[in-house]
Amino acid sequence: MDLTVLGLNAIWVMLAFILVLFMQGGFILLETGSTRMKNAGHVAGKTIFTVGLGVLVYWAVGYAFAFGEGNSFIGLEGFLFNPGADESLPPSIFFLFQSAFAVISLSIAWGGFAERAKLGVYLLFTLFFVGFIYPVIAHWIWGGGFLAEDGAQDFAGSTVVHLTGACAAFAATVLLKPRIGRFNKDGTANDIPGHNQVYTALGVLILWVGWFGFNAGSTVAVDDGFFGFVAFNTHLATGAGAVAALLVSWAVRGKGDVGTMLNGTLAGLVAITASCAFVDPWAAVVIGLVAGVITVGSMKMFEKLRVDDPIYALTVHGVAGIWGTLANGLFATPELAEKVGVGQAGLFYGGGWHQLGVQALSVVSAGTFAIAASFIILLIVKAVIGLRVTEEEEILGLDLSEHGVYGYPEQMKVVPGGTIDASSAVPGRS
């Protein structure tokens, strides 16, 4: 391959890595805006801390488990990864790109921990999630594992990244139980609105921009311009998800709910992540529209089940991730499957039921493993240090109880002795 093309490929993937890493800024704003003021500094700080720790863990063991030579279940080579020279994409750049994916999945998982988990839980769970849970599933689909052998189509991670993170979030929110005041004894729900919807919207926009590194960057090449097609599909699906969620919420509730619309936007992004390289543009629009529609019903479903999911990770990354993965089994075209070199055409393009079956197997395998492993690890952590802060600490806010200072010190009324003004301690008001 021409050295100029090799250089351009390397620059493109490096740029994509930077875009994906910057998505953490979107997650900080999204999660901070969707939770209460008294937890804002904690949300932002633990994100930076766990990204830093996650990168080190991925370097030490995670990358080897995901992409090292091994067997159909796990990689077994490349621990304490030391990149050497390569005639195509430099291994150091590929590692950076993949490490950003690993910590994105981790940040998705934190949605199920929000506003009630101890800081130590974030530390311990990061070790096991980035060191084992995520790499194993990545190996199955991207590292030559048994799902890759079957032809599983997950171009940029609807299953590997998003469903895996959402399943960990599910395990956490079940074990941690709902936040104080979220549900009444009769099962009815109380809203606990986030403190800054502008932060949430800006976070979504940053994620939308960063997603072009996520999806289009997964081509790891620029020479044939295919990354543009992937970006095109991504853009269409995202717009469709935003529009569908707003219109459906408007029709159902009589109001165009902004939060639901933002979740629909993210759901469109998540859903198209698996299929952005495998489907025609019309199908990308359909995938985004369906993602936006199911967002409304999924949010309500989890609320009815009394699952407290403050940033709707289960809906946006879990349900939409499942839909996006299965969509390949319906809409993948034979030409694009051949171009990417993975799997075959979907049901609507003459491929029969085979690819849909493979996609369903991916969902079941990854989801079952991620939930089971996360439950086991969190139960061990619970036995060792406990999972949840005390009721008093939760009411005070994790900024003060875990870090000793508020993210908004001028806004929070702290009196001598470390107590908080009662108006700031009521769920939904701080």
Side-chain angles (χ1 to χ4, degrees):
M1 185 178 290
D2 183 84
L3 289 177
T4 301
V5 174
L6 291 174
L8 288 173
N9 289 346
I11 292 171
W12 167 234
V13 179
M14 188 69 190
L15 175 60
F17 155 68
I18 293 169
L19 285 170
V20 177
L21 182 62
F22 189 61
M23 288 171 69
Q24 295 292 344
F27 276 111
I28 287 173
L29 290 172
L30 174 66
E31 190 176 347
T32 300
S34 300
T35 53
R36 288 166 288 181
M37 184 184 292
K38 63 186 179 182
N39 299 311
H42 169 79
V43 167
K46 62 83 181 164
T47 300
I48 298 298
F49 165 71
T50 55
V51 168
L53 178 60
V55 168
L56 296 176
V57 174
Y58 195 70
W59 164 73
V61 296
Y63 186 78
F65 286 149
F67 292 100
E69 292 293 331
N71 52 50
S72 295
F73 179 77
I74 196 169
L76 298 171
E77 294 181 0
F79 300 102
L80 299 175
F81 181 65
N82 183 15
D86 193 275
E87 63 180 12
S88 54
L89 183 69
S92 57
I93 295 178
F94 186 72
F95 169 85
L96 290 172
F97 187 56
Q98 291 299 329
S99 71
F101 278 54
V103 293
I104 285 291
S105 190
L106 178 68
S107 290
I108 293 166
W110 295 149
F113 295 70
E115 298 202 292
R116 56 218 195 268
K118 295 180 177 180
L119 183 62
V121 174
Y122 289 101
L123 187 156
L124 293 175
F125 192 72
T126 295
L127 298 177
F128 291 100
F129 183 85
V130 180
F132 183 71
I133 297 175
Y134 173 85
V136 166
I137 294 174
H139 182 77
W140 290 353
I141 296 178
W142 291 343
F146 74 95
L147 293 173
E149 294 169 354
D150 287 342
Q153 296 171 341
D154 187 12
F155 190 71
S158 290
T159 296
V160 174
V161 178
H162 297 280
L163 180 60
T164 300
C167 287
F170 175 74
T173 196
V174 169
L175 290 174
L176 282 162
K177 298 183 171 45
R179 292 167 292 172
I180 296 171
R182 180 67 175 96
F183 296 105
N184 301 311
K185 290 183 179 180
D186 62 2
T188 57
N190 298 310
D191 286 335
I192 303 182
H195 82 280
N196 195 322
Q197 203 164 64
V198 176
Y199 274 13
T200 305
L202 182 56
V204 169
L205 180 60
I206 291 173
L207 288 168
W208 190 337
V209 173
W211 227 284
F212 293 110
F214 208 91
N215 285 4
S218 293
T219 61
V220 299
V222 298
D223 51 305
D224 62 354
F226 188 55
F227 71 95
F229 177 80
V230 172
F232 183 73
N233 276 348
T234 300
H235 214 36
L236 291 178
T238 309
V243 171
L246 179 66
L247 293 180
V248 172
S249 70
W250 198 355
V252 171
R253 302 176 183 177
K255 300 288 184 182
D257 184 65
V258 174
T260 301
M261 180 269 293
L262 295 174
N263 286 329
T265 305
L266 292 174
L269 283 163
V270 170
I272 198 61
T273 295
S275 51
C276 51
F278 292 98
V279 304
D280 285 333
W282 74 266
V285 173
V286 171
I287 290 169
L289 286 171
V290 172
V293 171
I294 62 178
T295 292
V296 181
S298 177
M299 290 168 63
K300 182 58 66 176
M301 176 190 72
F302 284 116
E303 185 177 278
K304 290 287 187 182
L305 294 174
R306 302 188 69 179
V307 174
D308 186 14
D309 180 18
I311 65 168
Y312 300 101
L314 307 186
T315 290
V316 168
H317 301 280
V319 174
I322 291 171
W323 159 239
T325 302
L326 295 177
N328 274 329
L330 301 174
F331 301 115
T333 72
E335 296 82 9
L336 290 169
E338 182 179 358
K339 178 175 180 58
V340 178
V342 178
Q344 61 186 50
L347 179 65
F348 297 157
Y349 282 85
W353 295 94
H354 174 77
Q355 193 62 46
L356 184 58
V358 172
Q359 299 304 106
L361 179 62
S362 296
V363 168
V364 172
S365 300
T368 301
F369 178 78
I371 290 174
S374 297
F375 262 109
I376 291 169
I377 290 166
L378 288 171
L379 285 171
I380 294 172
V381 173
K382 181 179 181 180
V384 175
I385 66 168
L387 295 178
R388 186 163 177 161
V389 298
T390 66
E391 182 174 336
E392 180 184 6
E393 289 170 333
E394 185 176 341
I395 291 172
L396 287 175
L398 301 187
D399 281 8
L400 189 63
S401 66
E402 295 291 281
H403 307 282
V405 63
Y406 281 116
Y408 295 99
E410 289 106 345
Q411 299 298 318
M412 305 301 290
K413 299 178 182 178
V414 182
V415 299
T419 57
I420 184 175
D421 180 87
S423 66
S424 297
V426 179
R429 294 184 60 186
S430 58

